[in-house]
Amino acid sequence: MLGKLFIQNFALIDQLELDFYRGFNVLTGETGAGKSIIIDAMGTVTGSQALSEFVRSGENKAIVEAVFDIEDNQGIMRILEEYGLLPEESEDLILTRELVKTGKNLCRINGRTVNLSLYREIAGNLVDIYGQHQQQSLLDQQKHIEILDEYGEGNLSLADFSDTKEKLAACYEQLLALRKKLTQMEDNEKEQARMADMYRYQIEEIDNCSLAVDEDKRLEEERNILASAERLMSLSSQAYSLLYEGGSVRPVTELLYEALKSLKDLCMVDSSLNSVCEMLESAVYQVEEAARDVRSYSAKLEPDPARLEEIENRLNRIKNLKKKYGDSIDEILDYRKQVASSLAVIDNYDEEIRNLKVQIEKTAGKYKSYADRLTSARKKAAADLKKCITTELKDLSMPYVSFDVKIDPREPSFNGQDMVEFLISPNKGEPLKPLAKIVSGGEVSRIMLAFRSILAKTGPVSTLIFDEIDAGIGGNALHAVASKLSAVGRDKQVICVTHSPQIAGIADHHFMIRKTTDKKRTFTRVNELDYNGRIEELARMLSGGKITTVSRTHAEEILKQNTLF
């Protein structure tokens, strides 16, 4: 229940604090006094669009705050607990909207800043506001299925209604995703075939080269040797000659032997150089071995232009593969593995498409099952709604009304396979026709009230706000509307902006909105009226402005008829 509304710097309101009560509350006032401002403020604090134009002229920001008693609202308590927003010390829930002329508006729940979507989710479980816009939705056939589903979801005899809707929507979303994937795959078949040909060519090109790890490094070494064969032969021959054969000079080995012989003779007299002699003897053997290795190396050297050309060709082939597939042979072989894996996937493409079609068929069957169940549930809900609306409308001074809910098949969607339309005949003997084509403005108001009366009994919302529900209604119909609003107020909190003294007179609590001015500014004020204040306000409403003895007497009679006062 809405307990308190605080408004600051909002339109013509500088600062206002209102206490609302259980039961039926009404707000009245002269045209232009600011009744629409109160409704706009209530809409803003419950999550509707927050316009910068709402900020009072000359101010930088506006604040609208609502305090709700949620002690008996277990549904909202569960939502608050889920998001860690439960009030710590009381059973009150505080919603705050801060509107800034330049910058980002703020939403707070119990003082904690939250995003707008969460704010709206919680506010939507607290308050419903109905004005001319919501009445027009009754005339929009596309909205009829939403109204029927709202009734079905709140109907205890249709316990699985919401669950079926959720499962159907999830199934349809899955079906759309599968169909999208199939379309993409079928569109990509030519591209996949082109890619498969390219992958096969690349694999064949790499395989035909028969690459070995580090092959390029070994070939480069061999190429360097073959390219320098003559110079290497000359250098090795010169080294061998200096070490062993000699020529114009005596070879190193010969000189070492002579030195070794002299040292051995020396050691026969003085053994102190025995170790030196051993070192030199070892050196002689090592030099001889080195000479043999140089001779063997030189013997192997031979210019081979054919082999050199073969190596160059091989290295060029490897170089070309590196340009395409990687900077090294390891990278080329890794790329070959990746391509082979991609080719395997493409080769399985047709099988994947077949499996996807089977999956789509199964999901479509599952969707049809949920859709049929939802259609059946809607038909049951429609039959119940038909009876309830007919009863409510007869209570609202439409004694000969006939009402029906037509459900026809339509293309499958997230919302099932049904098209819903409300049909009505306000007068005896007239055939049922689409609601939008038959009703007057006053009839739309009463039909809207009938729907809200029924839906309020099952929905979680505890506060219903009606903006000029009496538009286009007079006479007995107006008395019926007043009685219905009072009856709804016994189960829910009702707040109603009205021009009707009959509706205002039957309310439990009456607030008057007035506009005042000083030398510089205009202000909107709201006051709760006592018994005498109500008589004066009702008299003004009855007389159209100027209060007379007759209008005051009539106002007293209206209040006396309000047995709840």
Side-chain angles (χ1 to χ4, degrees):
M1 182 193 81
L2 175 60
K4 190 182 294 291
L5 181 68
F6 173 78
I7 306 171
Q8 184 179 64
N9 297 329
F10 190 94
L12 296 180
I13 299 174
D14 56 343
Q15 185 162 309
L16 176 66
E17 187 171 310
L18 280 174
D19 290 316
F20 289 105
Y21 306 94
R22 295 183 184 277
F24 184 18
N25 303 258
V26 295
L27 295 96
T28 64
E30 295 182 0
T31 301
K35 296 187 292 298
S36 62
I37 296 175
I38 302 296
I39 294 296
D40 287 338
M42 289 179 174
T44 299
V45 80
T46 53
S48 63
Q49 186 177 12
L51 302 175
S52 61
E53 289 83 355
F54 287 154
V55 179
R56 183 173 170 82
S57 176
E59 303 293 340
N60 293 321
K61 68 179 181 179
I63 296 174
V64 187
E65 187 168 272
V67 181
F68 292 88
D69 180 356
I70 57 171
E71 182 178 3
D72 299 326
N73 195 331
Q74 295 303 313
I76 199 66
M77 296 282 273
R78 284 192 294 270
I79 297 175
L80 292 173
E81 184 176 14
E82 178 183 350
Y83 290 102
L85 295 170
L86 275 175
E88 295 181 0
E89 299 180 356
S90 70
E91 300 298 333
D92 289 341
L93 171 63
I94 303 173
L95 299 182
T96 307
R97 291 291 295 278
E98 186 175 304
L99 285 62
V100 184
K101 269 194 174 179
T102 56
K104 187 177 181 181
N105 297 330
L106 295 178
C107 304
R108 293 191 182 93
I109 297 177
N110 288 335
R112 177 177 160 187
T113 301
V114 298
N115 60 52
L116 183 57
S117 61
L118 174 57
Y119 188 91
R120 283 174 172 166
E121 178 185 352
I122 291 174
N125 283 272
L126 296 168
V127 177
D128 274 340
I129 299 178
Y130 307 101
Q132 295 298 316
H133 173 72
Q134 287 74 21
Q135 290 185 18
Q136 291 303 310
S137 69
L138 268 181
L139 305 181
D140 182 359
Q141 187 256 324
Q142 300 296 322
K143 301 289 185 181
H144 292 179
I145 193 169
E146 297 176 14
I147 298 172
L148 176 62
D149 285 357
E150 184 180 351
Y151 176 76
E153 289 167 4
N155 194 320
L156 295 178
S157 65
L158 300 171
D160 62 343
F161 194 101
S162 296
D163 183 60
T164 300
K165 273 195 73 175
E166 290 176 5
K167 289 179 178 178
L168 178 137
C171 188
Y172 187 74
E173 185 175 2
Q174 181 184 9
L175 187 60
L176 287 184
L178 291 172
R179 286 173 174 168
K180 181 179 179 180
K181 183 178 180 181
L182 177 62
T183 299
Q184 291 174 341
M185 290 186 70
E186 289 177 340
D187 290 343
N188 287 339
E189 275 191 290
K190 290 183 179 179
E191 176 64 16
Q192 293 293 319
R194 187 188 69 79
M195 293 297 295
D197 288 343
M198 183 183 73
Y199 291 155
R200 291 189 185 95
Y201 170 80
Q202 292 175 340
I203 291 171
E204 183 178 2
E205 185 178 27
I206 295 172
D207 289 349
N208 285 343
C209 198
S210 301
L211 294 172
V213 177
D214 292 334
E215 176 188 0
D216 51 343
K217 296 177 182 178
R218 294 193 298 271
L219 289 174
E220 286 171 357
E221 291 177 2
E222 185 179 355
R223 179 190 62 185
N224 292 337
I225 292 172
L226 287 174
S228 306
E230 292 184 356
R231 183 168 181 269
L232 294 175
M233 287 174 65
S234 173
L235 292 171
S236 60
S237 177
Q238 181 181 359
Y240 181 73
S241 178
L242 291 171
L243 287 172
Y244 199 81
E245 283 189 344
S248 59
V249 295
R250 295 174 66 190
V252 171
T253 51
E254 186 177 324
L255 294 174
L256 286 174
Y257 267 117
E258 286 186 7
L260 180 60
K261 182 177 181 301
S262 296
L263 277 176
K264 284 183 176 182
D265 290 343
L266 185 153
C267 288
M268 290 179 67
V269 177
D270 184 359
S271 62
S272 63
L273 291 179
N274 280 343
S275 61
V276 175
C277 186
E278 290 174 358
M279 289 171 57
L280 185 57
E281 188 173 16
S282 175
V284 170
Y285 294 145
Q286 289 181 6
V287 170
E288 285 183 337
E289 185 175 355
R292 286 192 296 272
D293 288 344
V294 170
R295 183 180 64 183
S296 176
Y297 173 80
S298 181
K300 293 178 182 178
L301 290 173
E302 182 179 353
D304 189 347
R307 175 58 181 164
L308 182 60
E309 182 180 1
E310 179 184 346
I311 291 174
E312 291 287 2
N313 290 338
R314 178 67 174 171
L315 287 173
N316 284 335
R317 191 173 178 186
I318 294 173
K319 183 179 179 181
N320 288 333
L321 291 180
K322 286 181 179 180
K323 289 180 180 179
K324 297 179 181 180
Y325 309 122
D327 294 332
S328 67
I329 288 179
D330 283 341
E331 290 186 13
I332 294 172
L333 295 176
D334 285 342
Y335 179 79
R336 196 261 183 215
K337 290 180 182 178
Q338 295 172 15
V339 168
S341 177
S342 298
L343 181 60
V345 172
I346 293 175
D347 287 340
N348 197 41
Y349 203 72
D350 290 342
E351 180 65 22
E352 188 176 352
I353 287 179
R354 285 193 293 272
N355 291 338
L356 190 57
K357 288 180 177 178
V358 171
Q359 193 175 356
I360 288 173
E361 186 176 351
K362 289 181 179 179
T363 306
K366 188 177 177 182
Y367 172 87
K368 185 66 168 62
S369 175
Y370 285 132
D372 287 344
R373 283 167 56 185
L374 184 58
T375 298
S376 177
R378 280 176 174 150
K379 288 180 177 179
K380 292 179 182 178
D384 289 346
L385 184 62
K386 173 184 175 180
K387 295 177 183 176
C388 293
I389 289 293
T390 301
T391 300
E392 292 288 334
L393 289 176
K394 287 182 178 179
D395 290 345
L396 290 168
S397 194
M398 295 179 71
Y400 302 113
V401 70
S402 295
F403 179 85
D404 202 357
V405 182
K406 184 173 71 168
I407 300 178
D408 290 326
R410 55 156 291 170
E411 289 296 316
S413 69
F414 280 100
N415 210 13
Q417 59 190 6
D418 305 317
M419 180 171 63
V420 175
E421 185 172 24
F422 296 149
L423 305 177
I424 193 168
S425 170
N427 303 304
K428 182 186 294 187
E430 295 294 324
L432 289 165
K433 293 182 180 180
L435 184 63
K437 297 180 179 179
I438 195 75
V439 296
S440 65
E443 287 167 339
V444 172
S445 296
R446 281 180 282 173
I447 295 169
M448 168 60 79
L449 180 57
F451 272 104
R452 298 332 301 177
S453 299
I454 293 168
L455 296 175
K457 296 175 184 177
T458 56
V461 169
S462 59
T463 299
L464 306 177
I465 300 174
F466 293 95
D467 182 17
E468 299 185 4
I469 191 70
D470 53 316
I473 304 175
N476 292 333
L478 191 56
H479 286 287
V481 168
S483 297
K484 181 59 66 178
L485 287 169
S486 179
V488 174
R490 297 188 191 107
D491 298 319
K492 303 284 184 177
Q493 181 188 43
V494 175
I495 300 172
C496 180
V497 173
T498 182
H499 289 288
S500 166
Q502 287 84 357
I503 291 177
I506 204 172
D508 302 317
H509 306 278
H510 189 162
F511 300 85
M512 185 181 72
I513 304 170
R514 57 191 175 86
K515 185 163 61 177
T516 64
T517 60
D518 60 17
K519 293 181 179 180
K520 296 181 179 179
R521 302 297 299 270
T522 300
F523 304 89
T524 291
R525 302 286 187 235
V526 182
N527 300 103
E528 184 179 0
L529 301 177
D530 59 14
Y531 182 79
N532 291 329
R534 293 186 73 176
I535 290 176
E536 293 300 303
E537 173 64 1
L538 292 177
R540 179 198 65 78
M541 296 170 71
L542 287 165
S543 64
K546 184 179 180 180
I547 300 175
T548 65
T549 302
V550 173
S551 64
R552 188 176 283 111
T553 301
H554 191 183
E556 291 178 354
E557 291 176 356
I558 291 175
L559 281 181
K560 287 178 182 177
Q561 292 173 4
N562 180 3
T563 57
L564 298 179
F565 187 79

